[in-house]
Amino acid sequence: MSSVVTVEDVSFAYGEKAAVEGISLSIESGDFLGLIGPNGSGKTTLLHLMLGLKRPDSGSVTLFGDPIDEFDDGERIGYVSQRSTDRGSTMPVTVREVVTMGRFAHVGRSPLGTDDHEIVDEALETVEITDLADRRINQLSGGQRQRTFIARALASEADLLALDEPTVGVDAESRERFYGMLDDLNRQGITIILIEHDIDILTKHVDTVACINRELYHHGDTVSFLESEALSKAYGAAHGVIEHDHP
Amino acid sequence: MSLDTTNVDGTGGPVAGLTSWLGWFRPQRRREWVELGGIVLTALLGVSMVGYILLDWLRFAPEWAVIGPYADLLFSQFIVAGMWMDHYLGTNVFSHPFMWRAIATGVLIGIVAPLVGTYLVHRQMALIGETLAHTAFAGVAVGLLFIALTGWTGSLLFVALIVSALGAIGLQWLTDRTNTYGDVPIAIVLSGSFAVGTLLISWGRDFTSLAIDIEGFLFGSLAIVTAEGARLVAALSVVVVVLVALNYKQLLFITFDEQAARVARLDVDRYNTLLIVMTAVVVVGAMQILGVILVAAMLVVPVATASQVAESFRETLFLSILFGQLSVLGGLAFAISASLPPGGSIVVIAIGFYLLSIAASGRSTAISMH
């Protein structure tokens, strides 16, 4: 198995405030990694470092075997951030237009071809939103919107999906369905990195967990994580997150 | 709403060929075909206006270039046609070359300002246009002084163009490095460049005879559109349309989801610079007709109108241009017939369209509400 992302002794600070300190971990092809930690623990920062959105202060990151600065196969990554949906609430853009963006890194300045449109149609079908393709994205429910962004990642034929709290504001039923879909995609060989604040639902789906709070507290399979004390250490004494029931 | 994906089957034939050439435009409903028709008409109008400006230039071509007499002949035919128009309409407008210059400038601005504005508005950069207009005003002041001091015979607008483009890049540099909210550097550059402009003009008055219509640049005027100014607008319109056509997809991706565009390894900073420099260029061109104070309206109001009623981004772009063009044509007609400034007329009509679109759409997703 080859490494999709390797992070070696990476640190990053916002001014004086360290956000990530001395983290090393490696994500193998086909992994479904859950990245967890309390609020402000540096999860999003670490993900940004992995994707090259931020440069580490020290340490090194490689993506698909390339040093992060030299990596230029943008179409291999599908990224859905918390902010992805912001613009959609006001900007007039259809589901099909959003999904078609997944092809942009492939075609560059050339016009989209028939095959590009076919790939978009397939992606829409995979996440079951073909009937919504011509809707404005602000007319969709939270769950439908998230599936649109996954379809965009699929249309880019990404090998790696990076999802930063993709189900904020999505109802429980759509969330279950969404995670079921991620399981399917992972079974097809797509590597997934997922940030999710809900540890219950996360540990049900992912096969590896990286638990961080500025530093790495645990990186291993889900079972060993649940048996370890990483969670209580990372969250401090007042965690209790894992026991509560979800709406 | 029906979804028809069968028209991209690539089975040849002129219609399929056209559809394929149109890429992902894929008009499906009557409304979309009507919009496309409007865009084609606007494009034809734009091309003929560029043609007029070109003839106006070529008729003074040096003798060795041969083309001069032919251009002059075509040009006079154009003016003769204008006389007939005046005759039938009972007006005294279309037989005057300077009027055509102003109309051509307006028509072209009515295309490129909403085109660039669509990206600006949805990047929440609407006020950049206003700022760059003020920078362009400082540019006009610099140009006036430069011409007065050196006796240079070049175009005033060209100097304004350079100053405005530099201001655009400077503004982006400041925004990247500033430790405050994004609109603070905008406010500083906006008032700062206007301050520099007023200082330069007052200072220049003391030792040069500045025979320039400052009010014309502030409020816009048909009379300040020179042949050079019109040529500048024609050239920049062609460049801007080509650049947007080439970078449509990238600009859309960055506008919609900048972080994802970065992850997809699009050079976001380069496209940002492209967008802001295009804005500076459009603003300088539009300043002649609309005036420094009103120029931002043309970047924003047609886009706001289109966003009320459009179903997709492509439709927003098309409708912005159509609303922009209708505002310019209506505004010019009103300004000419009532002898009022064109800038105010165009903007008032554009805002009329905006109010109508709000009434028509009944949607609660107005841009201003967020």
Side-chain angles (χ1 to χ4, degrees):
Chain A
M1 260 201 290
S2 59
S3 276
V4 175
V5 184
T6 321
V7 176
E8 260 178 90
D9 199 22
V10 158
S11 299
F12 182 87
Y14 293 99
E16 296 290 297
K17 196 174 173 289
V20 165
E21 261 187 311
I23 290 186
S24 300
L25 63 90
S26 140
I27 299 165
E28 306 300 321
S29 176
D31 274 3
F32 189 166
L33 174 87
L35 199 54
I36 63 172
N39 283 335
S41 59
K43 303 180 294 267
T44 299
T45 307
L46 181 60
L47 188 65
H48 283 184
L49 289 164
M50 289 173 173
L51 300 175
L53 284 171
K54 290 188 171 71
R55 298 268 171 275
D57 297 335
S58 64
S60 67
V61 179
T62 60
L63 203 52
F64 293 102
D66 290 333
I68 194 78
D69 289 329
E70 290 163 27
F71 176 79
D72 59 1
D73 286 338
E75 70 269 18
R76 296 189 74 175
I77 316 170
Y79 175 56
V80 182
S81 70
Q82 288 163 280
R83 268 196 267 162
S84 287
T85 51
D86 283 3
R87 206 72 86 189
S89 58
T90 46
M91 190 168 151
V93 77
T94 62
V95 169
R96 182 183 295 281
E97 281 177 322
V98 173
V99 177
T100 309
M101 289 177 201
R103 300 305 301 163
F104 289 176
H106 287 266
V107 296
R109 287 216 172 80
S110 342
L112 295 157
T114 310
D115 49 339
D116 293 307
H117 291 299
E118 276 166 11
I119 291 167
V120 169
D121 289 336
E122 275 167 34
L124 288 165
E125 220 162 281
T126 308
V127 302
E128 297 167 22
I129 51 171
T130 304
D131 52 331
L132 304 172
D134 291 328
R135 289 266 188 94
R136 231 171 110 150
I137 192 157
N138 64 357
Q139 297 168 349
L140 305 186
S141 71
Q144 291 166 335
R145 244 184 245 195
Q146 291 310 333
R147 279 187 276 152
T148 305
F149 285 99
I150 294 298
R152 182 179 75 186
L154 292 179
S156 75
E157 297 176 311
D159 307 315
L160 169 66
L161 278 184
L163 312 169
D164 190 349
E165 302 212 17
T167 59
V168 171
V170 175
D171 64 276
E173 196 187 324
S174 309
R175 210 189 318 183
E176 258 321 311
R177 202 165 147 209
F178 179 79
Y179 280 110
M181 201 178 71
L182 290 187
D183 286 337
D184 286 344
L185 293 173
N186 182 237
R187 269 194 290 275
Q188 290 163 28
I190 296 178
T191 312
I192 302 177
I193 307 173
L194 171 70
I195 296 181
E196 166 67 66
H197 63 281
D198 187 332
I199 298 168
D200 246 5
I201 199 159
L202 184 115
T203 48
K204 223 191 277 176
H205 293 275
V206 300
D207 52 33
T208 22
V209 172
C211 176
I212 70 163
N213 189 0
R214 218 177 65 222
E215 294 164 38
L216 183 66
Y217 280 79
H218 181 92
H219 178 217
D221 62 72
T222 310
V223 179
S224 73
F225 167 72
L226 290 172
E227 285 166 356
S228 76
E229 295 190 346
L231 190 66
S232 54
K233 277 187 193 155
Y235 280 74
H239 70 91
V241 189
I242 203 158
E243 285 90 10
H244 76 171
D245 285 326
H246 300 287
Chain B
M1 206 172 301
S2 72
L3 175 76
D4 177 14
T5 55
T6 55
N7 57 358
V8 281
D9 52 9
T11 47
V15 174
L18 179 70
T19 325
S20 153
W21 182 78
L22 287 171
W24 66 334
F25 288 173
R26 302 205 269 183
Q28 284 157 15
R29 289 168 294 157
R30 181 179 294 171
R31 169 173 154 169
E32 288 171 315
W33 282 109
V34 169
E35 284 162 13
L36 196 62
I39 285 297
V40 170
L41 279 180
T42 308
L44 287 175
L45 185 62
V47 168
S48 53
M49 291 298 109
V50 169
Y52 171 81
I53 293 170
L54 207 59
L55 284 180
D56 193 10
W57 181 44
L58 289 177
R59 70 194 172 111
F60 298 112
E63 236 170 81
W64 54 263
V66 187
I67 197 154
Y70 301 104
D72 199 31
L73 186 70
L74 278 173
F75 185 81
S76 36
Q77 291 308 308
F78 200 99
I79 296 303
V80 168
M83 285 173 183
W84 282 108
M85 277 171 82
D86 272 346
H87 176 73
Y88 283 111
L89 296 169
T91 52
N92 182 18
V93 174
F94 302 106
S95 50
H96 303 294
F98 81 93
M99 273 303 198
W100 276 111
R101 240 173 252 152
I103 294 168
T105 306
V107 164
L108 294 175
I109 290 305
I111 295 171
V112 288
L115 186 64
V116 174
T118 306
Y119 294 103
L120 283 183
V121 165
H122 291 295
R123 298 215 65 183
Q124 297 180 311
M125 284 161 65
L127 275 180
I128 297 269
E130 187 73 39
T131 306
L132 294 179
H134 285 69
T135 316
F137 178 73
V140 168
V142 169
L144 281 173
L145 267 187
F146 186 70
I147 288 168
L149 293 174
T150 62
W152 185 58
T153 53
S155 166
L156 183 63
L157 279 181
F158 189 69
V159 181
L161 187 75
I162 290 173
V163 172
S164 187
L166 289 177
I169 293 165
L171 176 62
Q172 213 196 359
W173 184 86
L174 210 58
T175 314
D176 287 346
R177 276 157 193 79
T178 193
N179 242 344
T180 177
Y181 306 105
D183 51 357
V184 171
I186 292 178
I188 292 172
V189 173
L190 188 146
S191 43
S193 44
F194 211 67
V196 171
T198 53
L199 285 179
L200 286 180
I201 285 173
S202 303
W203 181 58
R205 259 194 204 126
D206 291 345
F207 62 94
T208 61
S209 53
L210 289 173
I212 191 81
D213 183 7
I214 290 296
E215 198 178 286
F217 280 102
L218 282 179
F219 302 121
S221 152
L222 296 175
I224 63 165
V225 181
T226 59
E228 269 173 349
R231 275 208 297 279
L232 191 77
V233 169
L236 68 86
S237 299
V238 172
V239 171
V240 166
V241 168
V242 168
L243 282 176
V244 172
L246 281 177
N247 299 294
Y248 172 83
K249 299 191 290 290
Q250 287 80 356
L251 289 170
L252 168 60
F253 200 174
I254 288 165
T255 304
F256 183 68
D257 191 345
E258 183 173 318
Q259 274 194 341
R262 272 186 206 278
V263 171
R265 295 301 183 265
L266 263 63
D267 193 342
V268 173
D269 296 331
R270 201 165 59 108
Y271 287 109
N272 277 340
T273 307
L274 176 71
L275 183 61
I276 203 167
V277 170
M278 284 198 302
T279 309
V281 163
V282 168
V283 158
V284 170
M287 192 171 66
Q288 307 171 79
I289 298 277
L290 289 156
V292 168
I293 299 169
L294 294 174
V295 82
M298 205 57 205
L299 294 165
V300 175
V301 183
V303 181
T305 312
S307 304
Q308 277 294 328
V309 290
E311 295 290 338
S312 67
F313 188 76
R314 191 242 323 145
E315 195 180 18
T316 310
L317 206 62
F318 281 10
L319 283 176
S320 301
I321 292 172
L322 290 179
F323 284 126
Q325 198 54 247
L326 288 174
S327 310
V328 165
L329 294 177
L332 284 179
F334 179 72
I336 292 169
S337 63
S339 296
L340 288 169
S345 316
I346 292 170
V347 173
V348 166
I349 289 184
I351 289 176
F353 279 125
Y354 176 61
L355 295 176
L356 280 178
S357 75
I358 291 178
S361 73
R363 256 196 206 128
S364 59
T365 52
I367 287 169
S368 57
M369 295 181 68
H370 290 269

